[in-house]
Amino acid sequence: MDHQGQFRRAALALGIPDDEVSRFIQHLRLSIRLSGGSGGVPVGQFGGLPRLPVGMDWPSDGVSPLPFIFSVDCAALPRVDGFGLPADGSLLFFQDHEQAAATGERRYGRVVYVPAGTDTEVATGSTDDAFVGEQYDVGARLRAEFPDWFGADDEDEDDLSPFQQQLARDLERDLPHLDELCALANDLWPPDNGYASAYIGGYADEEVVKSIAEQTLAWREKTGEIVIPVAKWYSHVEKETHRLTSEWVSLAHFPVDNELYYRSDGSFVIRHDDLAAGRLDEALSVAELIP
């Protein structure tokens, strides 16, 4: 479905100029919200045992099997403009979120793509409760997303950095109908209501992108490509984070049950180009544990 076209037609019907709508759409992303008990046709499975290609071993970190989180049927998911998921086949997500959070190593998370028509079987590599959660089906609906600094009011601006505050001010200047456009997007694709099992697509977490930005700048300094004065490091990281936000997308983001932590999240992020080219092995596994 042409969601951008749908939004544009609705905005023009409100009398908002087309060039302003185009500027707004540059910041609008849609994510796919997965949740159980939502009715309709199931698009994926959480927990239980995954279906893997016949003969394929249970994904591991090289030593131990990785917990299976969920799988989705790509053909059953809503199509999203500019989000290059495979048109069919299945995506399966495995992650040891505690090890991923503690080490930051990619080997503790893996995305498996199973092309349509592949002979599969229910995996038997692990039956331990630590690797197989309660099984349930999930349905899907779309949700509108914006950058963290987007549409901040005067009170919220106090929590933004000077760079983000300038972005917000520039936005208000370029989008005089900002409030109406945000309201329209949220009407078409409403924000959360209740518990979500996971999100597919949308903006990658800002802290994750910031970490990538820091590593990118550190490597460029190490190779002699650039020299950044210590006093300017933070501002360079912010600008690089802002640039990379357009290159990276959240492939999946999901809460993980863990009684020892106040918050336990897992996610996979990937470059738009890698996703469009089917290079799913380039997805980065990221996890966060908050006591």
Side-chain angles (χ1 to χ4, degrees):
M1 182 176 181
D2 180 12
H3 296 106
Q4 291 187 4
Q6 177 188 8
F7 181 84
R8 184 182 301 277
R9 289 188 294 272
L12 294 176
L14 295 176
I16 300 175
D18 185 67
D19 60 340
E20 186 178 348
V21 177
S22 296
R23 290 194 294 272
F24 181 87
I25 287 175
Q26 293 176 6
H27 302 284
L28 172 63
R29 289 188 188 179
L30 299 182
S31 63
I32 304 169
R33 183 182 189 273
L34 304 179
S35 60
S38 57
V41 178
V43 302
Q45 168 195 325
F46 266 72
L49 293 168
R51 294 194 67 90
L52 293 171
V54 173
M56 179 179 179
D57 293 333
W58 188 292
S60 75
D61 60 17
V63 178
S64 303
L66 294 169
F68 170 60
I69 308 300
F70 72 100
S71 63
V72 289
D73 176 358
C74 295
L77 292 174
R79 305 308 298 172
V80 176
D81 303 331
F83 184 49
L85 277 183
D88 51 25
S90 299
L91 286 176
L92 294 80
F93 297 88
F94 298 81
Q95 187 185 69
D96 184 334
H97 65 284
E98 290 192 5
Q99 288 296 330
T103 67
E105 295 182 17
R106 295 177 60 172
R107 65 191 179 102
Y108 291 111
R110 185 173 173 190
V111 181
V112 175
Y113 174 58
V114 182
T118 302
D119 290 333
T120 63
E121 59 185 356
V122 176
T124 58
S126 176
T127 57
D128 191 293
D129 288 342
F131 301 99
V132 182
E134 178 183 356
Q135 180 176 332
Y136 62 94
D137 293 334
V138 290
R141 67 175 180 81
L142 296 177
R143 179 185 73 155
E145 287 192 13
F146 307 100
D148 290 344
W149 53 267
F150 196 89
D153 56 29
D154 292 339
E155 184 175 339
D156 292 334
E157 275 200 18
D158 293 338
D159 297 327
L160 301 180
S161 68
F163 177 72
Q164 291 176 322
Q165 289 176 6
Q166 186 59 55
L167 290 175
R169 286 192 290 269
D170 292 344
L171 187 74
E172 291 180 359
R173 180 198 64 210
D174 295 337
L175 298 174
H177 297 88
L178 177 60
D179 291 342
E180 294 96 321
L181 290 165
C182 286
L184 175 59
N186 287 324
D187 283 342
L188 292 173
W189 307 290
D192 287 344
N193 181 20
Y195 178 81
S197 299
Y199 299 97
I200 302 288
Y203 278 95
D205 183 87
E206 184 179 10
E207 288 302 312
V208 173
V209 181
K210 179 181 176 182
S211 176
I212 296 171
E214 291 174 334
Q215 295 174 44
T216 300
L217 292 175
W219 175 253
R220 293 176 65 191
E221 271 206 307
K222 183 178 180 179
T223 58
E225 181 182 346
I226 58 174
V227 176
I228 303 176
V230 174
K232 298 290 186 179
W233 174 255
Y234 184 74
S235 63
H236 277 71
V237 168
E238 278 206 298
K239 292 176 182 177
E240 183 68 4
T241 300
H242 181 65
R243 185 186 71 81
L244 289 175
T245 296
S246 64
E247 295 185 8
W248 289 81
V249 64
S250 173
L251 182 57
H253 182 92
F254 45 89
V256 181
D257 291 334
N258 192 315
E259 297 179 355
L260 300 179
Y261 296 91
Y262 169 73
R263 177 180 170 185
S264 179
D265 292 338
S267 64
F268 291 86
V269 299
I270 191 169
R271 290 181 184 273
H272 280 286
D273 291 348
D274 288 329
L275 179 58
R279 296 187 291 265
L280 293 165
D281 56 338
E282 293 296 322
L284 298 180
S285 170
V286 184
E288 181 181 34
L289 298 175
I290 300 179

